[in-house]
Structure formats: C-alpha cells, structure tokens
Amino acid sequence: MTLDADSLAERRRLKRRLSWWRIAAILAIVGMLAVMGVLQSPKGIGRMSFSPQIARVNISGMILDDRKQRELLETIGESKNVKAVIVHINSPGGTTTGGEALYLALRKLAKKKPIVAVFGTSATSAAYLAGISTDYIVARGNSITGSVGVVFQWPEVSDLLKNWGIRIEEIRSGPLKAVPSPFAPTDDAGRRVAEEIVNESRDWFVQIVKERRKLNNVVVAEIKTGRIYTGRQALKLKLIDAIGDEETAKIWLEEKRKVSKDLDVVEWKVDIGSSWYSPRGMANSLGAFLGAAIHKAGETVAEKYRFNNLDGLTSLWHPQHQQ
C-alpha cells in the first residue's frame, strides 16, 4: 500500500513537471513567432518589425469612411520604427465623405512621416484626393487618374411602377423633403438643390487640388470638367510628380528626405480580429471569407443589373457600359 501511494505521488509530481514544461514550450513558441513577425500586433499590423522600416499601405476598391483604416494610419504615425510611408493606391474612388476622411487622416500622418503615393491601374476621384494628401505622387504612364469632382445619382422608376400598377402615396413635411425621389420625376426646384450640393462639393474638391498641386487657373479650369488623364498627361499638368513605381518612390525618399532606400518595406494591414489561432480569430477569418464571397456575389448582381445603391455623394469614376 505504501509503495502504491509513493508511486501515485511520484506520478503526480511528474505530471505537474510535464505540465510546466508544456506551458514553457508554448510560451517559447509564441515568443519566437512574435519575433519572426507572424503574430498580429494589438493595433492590427500585418507584420511586426523591430527594426527601421518603410511602411507600405494599400488603398484599393471602394473608398468608404473606414474607422479601422484611420486607426491603422494613426498607429503608423506613432511607430518610431517607421521612417517613411508608401501608399499604394488602386481605386476608382468612392464616397465623398470617405475620400475626405482618408485625405485628412493621411495629411495628419504626413506631418509625422514622409509619405509617397504610388498609383496603380487607377487612382481617380476620391482615390486621387487621397493621393494629393501625400508629399510626392508616382504613377505609371498608363495609370488612369484625375476625375476631380463628385456625382449625385438616383434611379427614377415612376414609369416602371405605373406599368406595374403601383402607386406611391406620401406626406412630406416640406416641398423639398425627400427630394430627389426615385418614385417621381425631379422638378426644377429639386434639381436646383441637387446641383447646388454637387457644385459646392466640386468646388471644395477643386480648391484642395489647386492648393496641394499649386495649379494655375488654366489647369484648374480643365480639371473642373471632371475628365480623366493618363499618367503621362497628368505629369504634364502637374497633377502627379513622376512616372515610375515603388522603386521610384524609394529613390525620392532617399534623395529628398534622407530615408535609405535599402530599408525593408513592411506591409501594414488592418486587423480583422484577434490572433488566428483563437476561437475569435478563427470565427473572424471564417466571417471574412464568407463576407468576401457575399461581396463578390453582390458585385456580380450589381454588374448584371447596372445598379448602384450608394447613399450620398460619390466621388467615383468608372467607364460607361457598352450595350
């Protein structure tokens, strides 16, 4: 009996020692992963780095009022390891308020770090607004840019409803309440209100471009039309600073801002949740995957029916659909 009790006690002590070794091994692995840059930081950095670096931020797709994106830019501004920022932009634009919020966030960051914008296939409307917030703009010769201005669009389906035998009844608190409406043709008063909003926002946008790019009145009159330009055309008008790519941006940073072009370029991303191995992280990853699938399906439907249901003003460019 004594032998059995001693054996049992020894087994328990051995089990406790093994448990402690397992915990120590797990902690060691976590520490190694953190040093290697696999784990995400609390503020959503895509890769951790403890050495001097150039941060790369990607802006693509529809530009919206994105709080997490602004928080990421704030974190970059606070990082002592980030010596400069390269913003890659490949977007047709987005909402006017989204472009405004992103512009202000990048201007705030530019007061702390040198920033260069690199345009991809397109950087138009709200995406161009984001670009001019930086210190220097690089674009490909065939990048599409410009499209300075805003759009206010709404469907008008009164004839369709009439054919279906549907009548919309409404009581409005004033003659311009809920105007313009998709359920009735827009009258002159409603159209004037819409035009005033569009023109006021356009003038705001144009003034920012004029001040940031130091344009003369001749160029301002041209960009006020809202047209698009290739990178080569934009360079002639001083809407951008150089034709090139990320390497061109790094050379400028070294020559003008004394930031070595040999520094690692580290991509910073918005965090969608906690670490991947946790239940919350796995749930967020699954949600992101499903969300992307749903978003893709929505894009397909929108393309098929050529319908845009964004609320508010948009600062967006897209080619006209061909029949």
Side-chain angles (χ1 to χ4, degrees):
M1 294 294 292
T2 304
L3 181 61
D4 290 342
D6 291 342
S7 298
L8 183 59
E10 180 62 27
R11 287 176 185 174
R12 288 175 177 172
R13 284 193 294 271
L14 179 61
K15 187 175 181 181
R16 283 197 294 270
R17 285 197 295 270
L18 288 174
S19 297
W20 280 111
W21 276 111
R22 286 178 185 141
I23 293 171
I26 292 172
L27 291 175
I29 292 172
V30 170
M32 290 174 60
L33 291 176
V35 172
M36 292 170 61
V38 175
L39 294 182
Q40 294 178 327
S41 76
K43 288 249 184 171
I45 306 170
R47 172 184 164 194
M48 293 178 67
S49 176
F50 302 104
S51 59
Q53 61 180 267
I54 298 173
R56 179 194 292 130
V57 177
N58 292 308
I59 297 173
S60 60
M62 186 70 67
I63 293 176
L64 304 172
D65 192 351
D66 190 335
R67 177 177 55 80
K68 286 191 174 182
Q69 186 180 61
R70 295 197 302 274
E71 290 176 350
L72 176 67
L73 296 176
E74 289 180 4
T75 304
I76 293 174
E78 294 167 0
S79 173
K80 295 180 180 180
N81 295 321
V82 174
K83 304 305 178 184
V85 183
I86 296 177
V87 182
H88 279 263
I89 301 177
N90 187 20
S91 165
T95 65
T96 308
T97 53
E100 179 183 7
L102 179 57
Y103 170 83
L104 293 174
L106 287 169
R107 286 303 305 142
K108 183 178 179 181
L109 177 59
K111 294 177 181 179
K112 300 178 180 179
K113 314 283 183 181
I115 308 183
V116 179
V118 177
F119 289 173
T121 301
S122 65
T124 50
S125 292
Y128 179 67
L129 179 63
I132 64 174
S133 67
T134 66
D135 305 316
Y136 196 72
I137 301 176
V138 178
R140 297 284 188 181
N142 291 299
S143 296
I144 300 298
T145 189
S147 188
V148 175
V150 300
V151 177
F152 189 11
Q153 294 178 326
W154 62 94
E156 200 278 281
V157 297
S158 57
D159 287 342
L160 179 64
L161 295 178
K162 188 183 299 182
N163 292 335
W164 285 354
I166 299 174
R167 186 173 62 186
I168 303 297
E169 297 283 358
E170 64 179 8
I171 299 175
R172 291 183 287 173
S173 61
L176 294 178
K177 179 64 178 175
V179 173
S181 168
F183 304 126
T186 306
D187 59 17
D188 291 341
R191 186 165 294 277
R192 280 195 299 271
V193 169
E195 288 176 349
E196 287 176 8
I197 292 174
V198 168
N199 291 337
E200 194 276 337
S201 294
R202 177 204 59 196
D203 293 343
W204 163 82
F205 193 167
V206 170
Q207 186 62 31
I208 292 177
V209 177
K210 180 181 179 180
E211 292 174 357
R212 291 291 303 159
R213 301 302 304 172
K214 297 179 173 56
L215 304 179
N216 60 46
N217 291 331
V218 174
V219 176
V220 170
E222 180 171 335
I223 66 170
K224 206 170 183 179
T225 65
R227 63 158 291 179
I228 56 172
Y229 305 93
T230 65
R232 290 179 293 272
Q233 292 173 321
L235 181 62
K236 291 179 180 179
L237 295 173
K238 298 182 179 179
L239 297 178
I240 66 170
D241 298 295
I243 300 295
D245 53 16
E246 183 173 279
E247 190 63 26
T248 311
K250 291 167 67 178
I251 291 172
W252 182 86
L253 285 169
E254 183 172 67
E255 292 179 350
K256 301 299 183 181
R257 296 303 179 88
K258 309 304 180 185
V259 177
S260 173
K261 65 183 180 63
D262 296 326
L263 290 178
D264 287 339
V265 179
V266 179
E267 190 161 324
W268 289 54
K269 295 180 180 180
V270 173
D271 186 11
I272 61 171
S274 52
S275 302
W276 62 270
Y277 55 81
S278 67
R280 179 183 175 187
M282 289 187 286
N284 282 331
S285 299
L286 178 60
F289 174 79
L290 294 176
I294 294 170
H295 177 69
K296 183 64 178 177
E299 284 184 335
T300 303
V301 173
E303 173 65 19
K304 181 176 180 181
Y305 293 101
R306 302 174 185 177
F307 182 74
N308 184 350
N309 65 345
L310 282 174
D311 292 329
L313 297 174
T314 57
S315 189
L316 181 71
W317 174 84
H318 59 83
Q320 200 69 22
H321 291 288
Q322 299 296 321
Q323 298 290 343

